[in-house]
């Protein structure tokens, strides 16, 4: 078994190719484009680095470990631009020495959105939370989060109108699992690590039932109304009564499907060539890929009204074949 940690780096400073263009990109495209760009940047950075295994150089004049690739597609060895720490493989390797924010912590609003993905075991969500927060803490050099929004699988607002979308939403997800996961986040709230909690894609009935079963109430409900155009009136009324802010967003609930991740790491035209190609006899990781979680983090500078740092981490597991 291999644990994968994927990262985009700071996409605010990454250039226009990976910044979301308003009205055109949803978060899944922002994530995949950002990961692909960061993989390529890391490969280019290490293209001339010595191959630690044999002392040769990688890149155009070195070993790409892919005899079937054209010279234009040759890349440094995977070991050069990724990093393994026991069972964990960082794709790409992360230079923590340049991590951190530019100003004092009090100058920022730090928001996280944690996506629990549909094929990952529910009983491991406490570990996913720990992994995601630890990475963000190291990346931003912080110990507290102002707002964490939990996104659970199987939730959406879809329908021909807002009334239908709200009705369909009531039957989605798994409330028992969502409440159990929320209890993990509540403990972090009580410890002061998270200052506010939010949820995503909870309609009026789902939210009503959820509030009856939790101790720490959400301060935010994020909903995607792309398919139904308007916020359901019953949800608006409930949010006002319960003092919960409604945010509209364009995120996908299943932000990183296994097929997308396999394409990102595979040996196709835009893949990172981390995975093996058994048919071609090319070495690499092989097995079933299970995306587990994705966290999106944003560091907003309050007095200047700008986002200084924004990016993603993703966790996945390869069950060795």
């Amino acid at each position: 078994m291999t644990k994968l940690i994927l990262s985009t780096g700071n996409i605010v400073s990454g250039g226009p190719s990976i910044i979301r263009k308003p009205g055109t990109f949803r978060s899944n495209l922002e994530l995949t484009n950002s990961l692909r760009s960061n993989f390529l940047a890391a490969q280019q950075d290490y293209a001339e680095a010595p191959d630690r295994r044999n002392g040769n150089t990688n890149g155009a004049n070195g070993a790409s470990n892919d005899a079937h690739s054209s010279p234009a597609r040759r890349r440094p060895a995977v070991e050069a631009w990724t990093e393994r720490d026991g069972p964990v493989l960082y794709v790409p390797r992360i230079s923590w020495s340049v991590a951190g924010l530019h100003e004092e912590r009090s100058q920022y609003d730090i928001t996280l959105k944690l996506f629990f993905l549909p094929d990952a075991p529910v009983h491991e969500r406490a570990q996913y939370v720990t992994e995601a927060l630890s990475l963000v803490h190291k990346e931003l050099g912080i110990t507290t989060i102002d707002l964490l929004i939990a996104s659970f699988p199987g939730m959406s607002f879809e329908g021909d109108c807002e009334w239908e979308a709200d009705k369909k939403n009531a039957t989605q997800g798994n409330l028992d699992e969502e409440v159990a996961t929320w209890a993990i986040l509540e403990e972090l709230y009580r410890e002061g690590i998270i200052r506010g909690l939010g949820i995503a894609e909870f309609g009026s009935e789902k939210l009503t039932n959820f509030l009856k079963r939790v101790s720490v109430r959400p301060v935010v409900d994020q909903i995607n109304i792309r398919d139904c155009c308007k916020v359901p009136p019953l949800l608006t009324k409930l949010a006002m009564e319960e003092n919960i802010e409604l945010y509209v967003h364009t995120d996908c609930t299943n932000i990183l499907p296994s097929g997308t991740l396999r394409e990102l790491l595979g040996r196709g035209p835009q893949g990172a060539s981390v995975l093996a190609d058994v048919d071609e006899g090319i070495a690499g990781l092989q097995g079933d890929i299970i995306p587990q979680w994705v966290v999106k983090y944003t560091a907003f500078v309050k007095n200047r009204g700008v986002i200084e740092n924004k990016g993603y981490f993703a966790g996945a597991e390869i069950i060795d074949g």
Side-chain angles (χ1 to χ4, degrees), residues 48-320:
E48 303 302 326
D51 187 322
R52 293 194 181 113
R53 296 172 305 166
N54 54 30
N56 294 331
T57 57
N58 298 306
N61 299 318
S64 67
N65 286 343
D66 190 345
H68 298 272
S69 63
S70 65
R73 290 288 296 156
R74 288 180 181 171
R75 298 166 173 166
V78 171
E79 294 85 348
W81 63 277
T82 64
E83 184 173 12
R84 182 173 284 277
D85 182 8
V88 180
L89 181 68
Y90 291 88
V91 185
R93 63 173 58 239
I94 302 173
S95 178
W96 299 113
S97 62
V98 297
L101 298 171
H102 295 155
E103 303 183 28
E104 294 294 325
R105 171 64 180 88
S106 60
Q107 300 301 309
Y108 296 90
D109 275 330
I110 308 294
T111 299
L112 271 59
K113 186 168 185 180
L114 182 54
F115 300 82
F116 297 101
L117 301 182
D119 295 328
V122 174
H123 68 271
E124 294 184 5
R125 284 182 179 171
Q127 179 62 30
Y128 303 157
V129 172
T130 299
E131 291 171 352
L133 263 62
S134 175
L135 289 163
V136 173
H137 287 168
K138 291 177 69 175
E139 175 66 23
L140 300 181
I142 59 173
T143 56
T144 59
I145 304 298
D146 294 300
L147 175 65
L148 186 146
I149 297 171
S151 175
F152 298 107
M155 304 291 295
S156 67
F157 274 89
E158 296 179 354
D160 295 332
C161 67
E162 61 271 23
W163 297 96
E164 180 185 350
D166 197 33
K167 183 178 179 180
K168 290 176 64 175
N169 176 267
T171 66
Q172 295 175 340
N174 185 309
L175 188 59
D176 289 339
E177 294 176 356
E178 292 149 8
V179 169
T181 303
W182 190 259
I184 299 167
L185 303 178
E186 286 180 325
E187 186 59 33
L188 295 172
Y189 173 85
R190 295 186 184 99
E191 293 173 4
I193 296 172
I194 301 172
R195 296 170 178 169
L197 294 174
I199 50 177
E201 260 67 73
F202 271 54
S204 59
E205 185 174 335
K206 283 279 295 188
L207 181 55
T208 297
N209 293 330
F210 184 76
L211 291 174
K212 294 175 181 177
R213 298 180 57 181
V214 300
S215 300
V216 179
R217 300 163 69 81
V219 295
V220 165
D221 185 6
Q222 251 193 4
I223 63 172
N224 184 342
I225 56 172
R226 179 174 181 267
D227 297 317
C228 63
C229 302
K230 297 180 181 179
V231 178
L234 290 176
L235 179 59
T236 300
K237 181 176 182 293
L238 176 63
M240 291 181 62
E241 293 172 348
E242 299 293 344
N243 198 28
I244 297 173
E245 292 187 76
L246 290 179
Y247 292 171
V248 175
H249 70 93
T250 57
D251 296 334
C252 295
T253 303
N254 188 11
I255 192 171
L256 190 61
S258 58
T260 299
L261 182 53
R262 182 168 288 278
E263 181 181 350
L264 280 168
L265 299 177
R267 295 185 177 270
Q270 298 188 70
S273 297
V274 172
L275 303 181
D277 188 331
V278 178
D279 294 336
E280 297 291 341
I282 302 172
L285 298 176
Q286 55 183 302
D288 294 331
I289 301 180
I290 302 175
Q292 298 172 325
W293 55 266
V294 171
V295 65
K296 176 170 67 173
Y297 56 90
T298 305
F300 180 79
V301 187
K302 291 182 285 188
N303 64 353
R304 290 193 283 121
V306 298
I307 296 175
E308 178 184 301
N309 198 315
K310 176 184 178 182
Y312 296 82
F313 287 103
E317 185 175 88
I318 296 184
I319 301 176
D320 303 327

